[in-house]
Amino acid sequence: MTTYTTIVPLLAVLVSLAAVPLILLSDRKPNLREFWTIAAGVVKFALVISLVPQVAAGNQPTFSLLDISPGLELALRVDPLGLVFGLIASGLWIFTSFYTIGYMRGNNEKKQTRFFASFAVCLSATIGIAFSANLLTFLIFFEILTIATYPLVIHKESKEAIAGGRKYLVYTLTAGNLLIAATAWTYSLAGGLDFVPGGLLTGVTMSPTSAAILFLLFLGGVGVKAGIMPIHSWLPTAMVAPTPVSALLHAVAVVKSGVFGVIRVVGFIFGPQTMANFGLNEILIVVAGTTILLASLLALSHTNLKRRLAYSTVSQLSYIVLGAALLTPAGFTGSVFHIVSHATLKITLFFCAGAIYVHMHKEDIRELNGIGTQMPWTMGAFTVAAMGLAGVPPLDGFLSKFYLGLGTLEGGHTAALIVLLTSGVLNIAYFFPIIYRAFFRPYEGKKEYGEATPFMVVPLVSTATLSLLFGIYPNLFFGFYDLAVTVSRSIMGI
């Protein structure tokens, strides 16, 4: 591994932040305002892509922001894991930006300028999280993301939205305090905070009790955004926000930051050896497995489309957590690749839900009879994404779940394998009724609708297509599969 200094990681963080004043100044010129949003997204994505060849060659671009004291600095470093997250977040932001234009205009939403400005800040924080070189930098961007997302959650400013926003802040700010405590404790133990493949704390002397408490602090700190039960309930509540926010929460930024943080903690702070020595991975396997099954069952109980998708997200996120907890090469590979597959699949589902709401004003699954005849592209994309999350080949969800299953076999975790197989059946159980109603029941409405606007349909079809392409060619464009394998090998030391 070779590190070299370049300003590109910093520019990738700052570009969308620089667009914020331009967006605010364009309040009365919607076309110009949205131009700045899309332009910032394209430039950000281009900057992140420019780092791919160097990282693929084994180099790590770095940039030091502030040297505070020995072993303590604010710094950016682009490693394979951060690059995977950065590519997904910046790439899907472009699709989300176009989709948001169609959604906000089609639904005649108020305060659109505030919405686009907050969105841009969120993406700056997300790339900062992805490219953080150490825990301190990660912590700062993690908290910025929390604050920047709040205006999006309360966007409608209804009583329900305000209550949802308060609940979001209570959960995430409390988690931030836990993460601060864990970070300070780690610094006192290791004398530094850098993310080290294989574990910063490997070889550090700790008692079993201290190790367990420290791990639980970290788990509470990043687990809230990861939607781990029982600290998940803010996530379904936040579904009161506009659908583009749901897409941001569930596919692009917030929850992905949480599971990204889990992988950092397991693979780069504690490391496989320390996790196994103290049995910490067994705790994580139980938590993840329980979340996967319970959230799937809760998804079955909801007829509101967005809430069913929300509980599906809670379940699917814990696949990533479970993969890391297995402490096997295939488990880490599947965990990292599921960041990619879940992002493309779940953002498609929320795009579809938003298109249905804006175009037909329907939110209840029981009202979707025959909708496939009215919105065939939308429901076709929904079907593709649903099958991908259920692990049906050749979509990218199959590949990530295949490696997760292989990881359970490598580690001899039969119970975890049963959880994965059972969850696959439950995925089908809560998605199939939607697809069946859409295509195999007669349309009952009096009005013919047709498809939503191209601003909404093109992004959702595009992300569904990406799910298929990444399933067939997992290294297409960016080498996601090779990056996932590289992350796994670096953590496992092979």
Side-chain angles (χ1 to χ4, degrees), residues 434-482:
I434 303 171
I435 299 168
Y436 180 81
R437 282 181 178 273
F439 290 106
F440 297 101
R441 285 195 175 182
Y443 178 61
E444 299 172 348
K446 296 179 180 179
K447 178 182 177 181
E448 297 293 323
Y449 284 91
E451 275 293 354
T453 66
F455 271 113
M456 304 184 81
V457 174
V458 172
L460 63 87
V461 170
S462 298
T463 52
T465 302
L466 283 177
S467 298
L468 178 61
L469 292 175
F470 288 145
I472 299 173
Y473 306 106
N475 274 326
L476 186 66
F477 303 133
F478 315 114
F480 281 130
Y481 173 75
D482 284 347

Side-chain angles (χ1 to χ4, degrees), residues 310-372:
Y311 279 106
S312 168
T313 295
V314 173
S315 174
Q316 293 287 333
L317 289 173
S318 276
Y319 280 82
I320 299 170
V321 176
L322 179 63
L326 295 173
L327 305 182
T328 61
F332 277 113
T333 300
S335 180
V336 175
F337 197 79
H338 201 59
I339 291 177
V340 177
S341 59
H342 179 262
T344 59
L345 294 165
K346 187 49 65 74
I347 202 169
T348 301
L349 292 173
F350 274 104
F351 280 174
C352 293
I356 294 167
Y357 175 70
V358 169
H359 196 54
M360 300 183 72
H361 306 290
K362 296 182 184 295
E363 296 180 275
D364 196 294
I365 293 168
R366 294 167 295 187
E367 299 175 342
L368 302 184
N369 290 351
I371 194 176

Side-chain angles (χ1 to χ4, degrees), residues 4-325:
Y4 69 97
T5 299
T6 173
I7 199 172
V8 175
L10 178 62
L11 294 177
V13 172
L14 293 180
V15 64
S16 51
L17 195 62
V20 172
L22 299 174
I23 291 170
L24 294 174
L25 290 171
S26 305
D27 181 41
R28 297 185 180 182
K29 298 179 179 179
N31 290 338
L32 182 60
R33 175 189 65 205
E34 289 148 12
F35 166 79
W36 295 126
T37 298
I38 293 169
V42 171
V43 173
K44 180 184 287 287
F45 189 44
L47 288 167
V48 176
I49 287 178
S50 72
L51 300 169
V52 172
Q54 288 292 338
V55 176
N59 301 316
Q60 295 190 1
T62 63
F63 189 85
S64 180
L65 302 170
L66 178 65
D67 193 358
I68 299 172
S69 65
L72 197 63
E73 67 172 338
L74 296 179
L76 303 173
R77 184 176 69 241
V78 186
D79 65 0
L81 177 60
L83 184 61
V84 169
F85 187 27
L87 284 167
I88 281 295
S90 59
L92 291 183
W93 186 37
I94 298 173
F95 292 109
T96 307
S97 296
F98 280 105
Y99 178 88
T100 302
I101 294 170
Y103 183 96
M104 301 300 280
R105 292 186 179 184
N107 212 35
N108 295 316
E109 293 282 350
K110 297 179 180 180
K111 299 188 178 179
Q112 294 186 26
T113 299
R114 183 185 71 181
F115 184 95
F116 282 105
S118 297
F119 225 81
V121 176
C122 285
L123 265 294
S124 281
T126 301
I127 299 302
I129 290 169
F131 292 169
S132 293
N134 55 54
L135 263 174
L136 179 62
T137 312
F138 176 92
L139 171 64
I140 291 172
F141 283 113
F142 206 65
E143 293 305 281
I144 292 174
L145 180 60
T146 294
I147 302 302
T149 309
Y150 175 72
L152 299 175
V153 175
I154 66 162
H155 177 78
K156 293 183 179 180
E157 296 185 353
S158 62
K159 288 184 178 180
E160 188 181 6
I162 297 297
R166 287 174 179 169
K167 186 172 185 178
Y168 168 74
L169 283 183
V170 167
Y171 273 73
T172 53
L173 291 179
T174 301
N177 287 329
L178 296 179
L179 189 56
I180 290 171
T183 300
W185 194 349
T186 300
Y187 182 72
S188 70
L189 289 171
L193 294 173
D194 284 353
F195 291 126
V196 178
L200 173 66
L201 294 175
T202 299
V204 173
T205 301
M206 288 184 289
S207 69
T209 301
S210 295
I213 294 173
L214 178 58
F215 180 70
L216 290 175
L217 285 174
F218 270 116
L219 190 58
V222 298
V224 165
K225 283 192 174 78
I228 293 173
M229 288 185 168
I231 49 178
H232 71 288
S233 64
W234 68 270
L235 192 52
T237 304
M239 289 305 95
V240 67
T243 301
V245 179
S246 301
L248 175 80
L249 290 171
H250 289 256
V252 179
V254 179
V255 296
K256 284 299 183 300
S257 297
V259 292
F260 177 81
V262 170
I263 297 175
R264 283 295 194 200
V265 169
V266 172
F268 293 79
I269 298 300
F270 281 86
Q273 181 180 328
T274 303
M275 292 286 295
N277 287 347
F278 293 107
L280 303 176
N281 67 309
E282 299 294 337
I283 297 173
L284 199 55
I285 287 173
V286 171
V287 170
T290 302
T291 301
I292 289 171
L293 295 179
L294 287 182
S296 295
L297 292 171
L298 285 169
L300 277 169
S301 70
H302 287 277
T303 59
N304 180 280
L305 182 56
K306 283 181 66 175
R307 289 188 71 85
R308 181 168 292 193
L309 294 180
Y311 279 106
S312 168
T313 295
V314 173
S315 174
Q316 293 287 333
L317 289 173
S318 276
Y319 280 82
I320 299 170
V321 176
L322 179 63

